[in-house]
Amino acid sequence: MIIKVRNKTEDFNGYRAARTKSLFNAERGNEFNLDADLPVEGMDWQIGVVVGPSGSGKTSIGKELFGGGKIIDLYDGWDNNIPIVEAVDPGGDFNSVTGAFAGVGLGDVPSWLRPFKALSNGQQFRAGLARVLVEDNDEIIIDEFTSVIDRQIAKIGALAFGKGWRRKKGKKVVLLSCHYDILEWLQPDWVFDTGTGEFKKKANSEADHQSSWNLGRSTPLIGSILKSIII
């Protein structure tokens, strides 16, 4: 799959814009072009990640995937007049909702009785993951994955979400993220790095998993770490 991103805004020529162009050699600052090769056709996959620095084209790529499908914001669309236990999948199965909360690490039961706006950043992130897991979506894209939360919560949340999503057989999700540290915890089926243009598939053998996602930084995911994870 070849994705061509061609974003263009008006070319402003005010004093500050003109001086910026002159000082920093930024004549084409009103244009952003990116060609991305994501060879996922024919692959059997469930979780993909587009990772890279801010402003490197992740969201633009996401808008081209799945026929231009909607990009989901974990923090948007909540009814802040009711507690999250009522807001997630209204009318659905109670056990599925509470099980999703527990599955993504939102095990603080009193927090289920608060509206989304009253939760901490970490709790909001986990509530958003639970809502995604409960909803029936065949193909979705999640933007700003783990962007505004503590990195330890991000890693554990990524691990929990990955396990939960793989139970949704045949469903596909692409996560857009600035952070490389979640890759070894999430263990996606493929990763595209907008910073380097590199595409990598998940290693076939368990022995190679530790070095599969050394695109940015590396944090070995080994037994001593796993022993301390509580979900």
Side-chain angles (χ1 to χ4, degrees):
M1 176 189 300
I2 303 296
I3 295 177
K4 295 182 180 293
V5 176
R6 301 291 183 267
N7 295 336
K8 187 174 183 178
T9 62
E10 183 179 347
D11 187 12
F12 293 97
N13 290 301
Y15 167 73
R16 291 185 180 181
R19 188 169 182 180
T20 299
K21 293 177 185 178
S22 175
L23 289 174
F24 301 101
N25 191 28
E27 291 295 329
R28 310 297 290 183
N30 66 312
E31 296 183 6
F32 176 81
N33 300 320
L34 173 67
D35 293 340
D37 184 8
L38 277 64
V40 298
E41 296 94 336
M43 278 183 58
D44 181 17
W45 64 276
Q46 284 189 269
I47 302 174
V49 176
V50 179
V51 67
S54 179
S56 61
K58 299 183 298 296
T59 302
S60 294
I61 290 175
K63 290 178 180 178
E64 299 297 322
L65 297 172
F66 302 140
K70 178 184 176 183
I71 297 180
I72 290 179
D73 182 344
L74 298 177
Y75 304 90
D76 188 37
W78 289 89
D79 184 345
N80 284 311
N81 296 311
I82 58 178
I84 60 171
V85 74
E86 300 282 358
V88 174
D89 193 23
D93 180 66
F94 172 79
N95 291 329
S96 295
V97 173
T98 56
F101 287 153
V104 298
L106 188 57
D108 178 19
V109 175
S111 69
W112 304 354
L113 301 175
R114 303 177 193 131
F116 185 78
K117 65 181 180 181
L119 303 179
S120 69
N121 284 343
Q123 289 172 333
Q124 288 182 342
F125 170 68
R126 293 174 179 181
L129 294 183
R131 184 176 63 172
V132 168
L133 290 176
V134 170
E135 291 176 345
D136 186 22
N137 296 298
D138 291 331
E139 299 175 334
I140 62 170
I141 302 142
I142 301 177
D143 203 0
E144 300 293 346
F145 188 74
T146 75
S147 290
V148 298
I149 57 173
D150 173 84
R151 299 320 306 157
Q152 188 62 25
I153 293 175
K155 295 170 187 176
I156 296 174
L159 174 66
F161 179 77
K163 288 183 176 180
W165 187 265
R166 292 194 185 282
R167 298 188 189 102
K168 298 165 71 73
K169 300 298 184 182
K171 312 292 187 179
K172 296 180 178 179
V173 62
V174 177
L175 309 175
L176 313 179
S177 179
C178 292
H179 298 285
Y180 295 84
D181 59 358
I182 62 171
L183 297 179
E184 292 180 66
W185 298 76
L186 183 66
Q187 287 296 315
D189 299 301
W190 59 263
V191 174
F192 179 77
D193 187 344
T194 56
T196 64
E198 183 179 6
F199 178 91
K200 293 188 74 173
K201 296 181 182 179
K202 185 177 180 179
N204 291 324
S205 66
E206 291 295 329
D208 292 334
H209 282 177
Q210 184 172 320
S211 60
S212 292
W213 307 125
N214 294 348
L215 293 168
R217 50 172 297 195
S218 176
T219 303
L221 182 57
I222 57 178
S224 60
I225 292 179
L226 290 175
K227 288 178 181 177
S228 65
I229 295 177
I230 300 175
I231 298 177

